[in-house]
Amino acid sequence: MSSVGIDQISFYTSNYFLDLRTLAKVQETDPDKYYQGIGQEKMSMAAHDEDIVTMAANAAYPLVENGEAEQVSTLLFATETGIDQSKAAGIYVHRLLGLNNNCRVVELKQACYSATAAIQMACALVARQPEKKVLVIASDIARYDLNTPGEATQGCGAVAMMVTAQPRVLEIDPEVGNYAEDVMDFWRPNYRKTALVDGKYSTKIYLKALKKAWEDFRESSSLTFNDFTHFCYHLPFSRMAQKAHQHLAKANKSELDANGLEQQIADTLSYNRIIGNSYTASMYIGLTSLLENCQQDLAGKRVGFFSYGSGCVSEFFSGKVAEGYQQFLFTDLHRDMLDKRQEVSYDEYLNLYKAPDPRDGEVHTIAADTQGRFRLAAISHHKREYVAI
Ligand code: CAA
């Protein structure tokens, strides 16, 4: 069977961010609680004319701008901040990107985990028909109530991955380990725009799921902890990954000291520290961060992945970085986007937080603001109208 995996990977986040020092000042909290305690510095805030659809299209555009759109046979869209109970967000993206009419499109949901389900499904589709390309997009806006512990862990972002045979970036191994359990650690009923969370409990369940998924992985894979040079964890906030990695290392009686363990994850955290949580996209933005920021040549190195979705479903899987992967990354594009972002004041943050949500069926046009290529131009007669700029 030919190898399958990620052929290209690109992400998008909003042009606006709130520095968590600003939030700390308003809350009269020590900023080190955020900068060190949870390991987050900034959080991206979507403009009013941005949502999961526009972010997704922006993330995927570099992967299809040279005629590849015609070759995409399936678009799998992972999100937990869906905009419609019926219509898949990916259908809008299908049009914005000019995908062909014979392309299958579907939306997947299981909290922050569903992008990993999408990746595994994409690999299975491509293994069956190696000439096909499957586009996997994960896109989310993380929102908690104001003045709650979760507020500092908000953010937004989308990541797009082209899954193919003979991938040029990351070959994904077929063995996986799963752990699922019906728990109430984080959830968002249909009538709410913000998530509810039992914060401390959620971090405990995350660590339990990691241990259980790893044990299940070890049942099917011959790889051991020492076979991995790097690990990508789901990143609700970067300190969670540090705790998780220490937990896994301890369970495996690793001889690496604290610094050695930190080196195995440090480069995966750089982008998320300044973007915040992007739910389904966060682990894969972490992978992008590793590939684009690691000074070492990662070709041939094995990376371990722990994907966690509250509720909960989790998965440990592994991949091997391809030779020459550097030439297929979008490093300059991503760095440029992050460098050009604009800081907002606390009042501007509050304004962005209150994204338009008209429910009266009237015509609501939305002022142009995003720096991206695609925008939400109006919500009219209960229909969302997207345009390419
Ligand atoms: N300087 C340095 N560190 C400080 C500090 C200071 N002045 N003040 C506090 N800290 C440290 C604390 O000691 C603590 O560190 P430890 O965890 O190592 O003990 C850390 O900062 C956080 O402080 P608190 O525990 O007091 O923080 P909190 O209770 O206010 O909130 C949280 C923490 C529960 C994670 C909260 O941010 C939250 O609810 N977040 C949303 C839920 C979440 O992300 N859960 C993660 C698992 S679920 C998941 O992964 C799915 C998902 O995407 C949501």
Side-chain angles (χ1 to χ4, degrees):
M1 194 174 77
S2 66
S3 66
V4 293
I6 299 172
D7 191 58
Q8 285 192 301
I9 182 164
S10 172
F11 75 92
Y12 176 86
T13 189
S14 170
N15 181 47
Y16 294 123
F17 72 86
L18 179 75
D19 193 306
L20 291 181
R21 279 184 288 229
T22 306
L23 186 66
K25 196 170 175 193
V26 172
Q27 295 177 337
E28 298 181 356
T29 302
D30 182 350
D32 282 349
K33 172 171 177 182
Y34 298 147
Y35 268 60
Q36 289 166 23
I38 61 168
Q40 291 301 117
E41 298 174 12
K42 299 169 181 172
M43 56 190 194
S44 281
M45 294 297 300
H48 281 176
D49 60 344
E50 292 184 313
D51 67 4
I52 56 161
V53 168
T54 64
M55 291 196 303
N58 278 306
Y61 184 77
L63 275 51
V64 298
E65 67 177 323
N66 296 315
E68 302 89 336
E70 266 302 305
Q71 300 157 24
V72 176
S73 64
T74 299
L75 165 57
L76 300 175
F77 194 117
T79 186
E80 61 176 297
T81 42
I83 46 155
D84 195 291
Q85 296 283 10
S86 173
K87 181 166 174 163
I91 295 286
Y92 298 105
V93 176
H94 177 278
R95 176 177 61 80
L96 292 172
L97 295 181
L99 303 190
N100 78 68
N101 290 109
N102 301 113
C103 176
R104 174 197 286 129
V105 182
V106 73
E107 185 170 310
L108 295 93
K109 178 172 68 184
Q110 176 25 61
C112 305
Y113 165 73
S114 64
T116 297
I119 286 284
Q120 296 296 358
M121 288 174 192
C123 287
L125 287 169
V126 170
R128 199 166 66 172
Q129 288 181 293
E131 73 283 6
K132 302 284 188 192
K133 291 184 178 204
V134 177
L135 180 59
V136 172
I137 307 181
S139 183
D140 269 308
I141 297 178
R143 281 283 170 281
Y144 297 90
D145 284 341
L146 299 175
N147 303 314
T148 62
E151 184 180 4
T153 67
Q154 298 175 110
C156 69
V159 66
M161 296 167 276
M162 197 68 89
V163 174
T164 68
Q166 311 297 341
R168 294 172 295 176
V169 169
L170 184 86
E171 195 177 307
I172 294 181
D173 299 320
E175 296 83 8
V176 300
N178 287 103
Y179 182 74
E181 184 183 345
D182 182 4
V183 290
M184 293 302 281
D185 61 331
F186 169 107
W187 65 104
R188 184 171 67 86
N190 288 341
Y191 49 82
R192 286 185 62 100
K193 293 206 78 178
T194 50
L196 295 164
V197 63
D198 188 342
K200 299 275 189 236
Y201 178 57
S202 71
T203 61
K204 286 199 178 80
I205 291 289
Y206 180 118
L207 295 180
K208 176 183 175 186
L210 167 62
K211 190 159 176 288
K212 297 284 187 186
W214 168 257
E215 285 166 4
D216 192 42
F217 175 76
R218 291 285 294 114
E219 295 279 315
S220 59
S221 173
S222 59
L223 296 172
T224 67
F225 186 84
N226 293 334
D227 290 317
F228 296 99
T229 58
H230 294 83
F231 291 78
C232 287
Y233 291 89
H234 167 55
L235 291 170
F237 49 93
S238 66
R239 188 87 182 92
M240 188 72 235
Q242 291 166 327
K243 285 188 180 184
H245 196 45
Q246 284 157 10
H247 190 69
L248 192 63
K250 195 171 167 199
N252 283 282
K253 301 185 173 58
S254 167
E255 286 174 4
L256 285 175
D257 61 14
N259 185 46
L261 290 176
E262 180 63 17
Q263 291 314 311
Q264 294 189 314
I265 57 167
D267 289 320
T268 71
L269 310 178
S270 310
Y271 289 158
N272 294 69
R273 258 187 222 286
I274 56 169
I275 291 174
N277 197 354
S278 53
Y279 292 159
T280 52
S282 90
M283 187 179 79
Y284 296 96
I285 292 180
L287 167 63
T288 319
S289 182
L290 169 67
L291 296 168
E292 296 182 352
N293 294 308
C294 185
Q295 295 298 313
Q296 186 193 349
D297 182 3
L298 294 169
K301 305 285 186 208
R302 272 241 152 53
V303 181
F305 295 86
F306 176 63
S307 176
Y308 177 78
S310 289
C312 71
V313 175
S314 64
E315 183 160 320
F316 195 98
F317 65 100
S318 60
K320 191 167 81 172
V321 181
E323 290 291 334
Y325 66 97
Q326 295 95 333
Q327 35 180 323
F328 304 108
L329 302 175
F330 297 93
T331 311
D332 292 344
L333 183 82
H334 294 148
R335 290 202 182 139
D336 193 47
M337 174 178 67
L338 292 171
D339 287 348
K340 285 186 174 146
R341 287 192 307 167
Q342 199 180 319
E343 182 174 353
V344 295
S345 67
Y346 183 72
D347 286 345
E348 288 165 335
Y349 154 71
L350 288 183
N351 179 266
L352 292 170
Y353 180 93
K354 294 174 194 139
D357 185 28
R359 296 175 180 203
D360 56 11
E362 300 294 319
V363 178
H364 298 267
T365 52
I366 301 170
D369 193 2
T370 178
Q371 298 298 304
R373 270 171 194 280
F374 304 98
R375 60 181 297 266
L376 174 64
I379 300 176
S380 166
H381 306 292
H382 302 291
K383 295 175 191 161
R384 299 174 85 84
E385 295 178 2
Y386 296 98
V387 294
I389 298 167

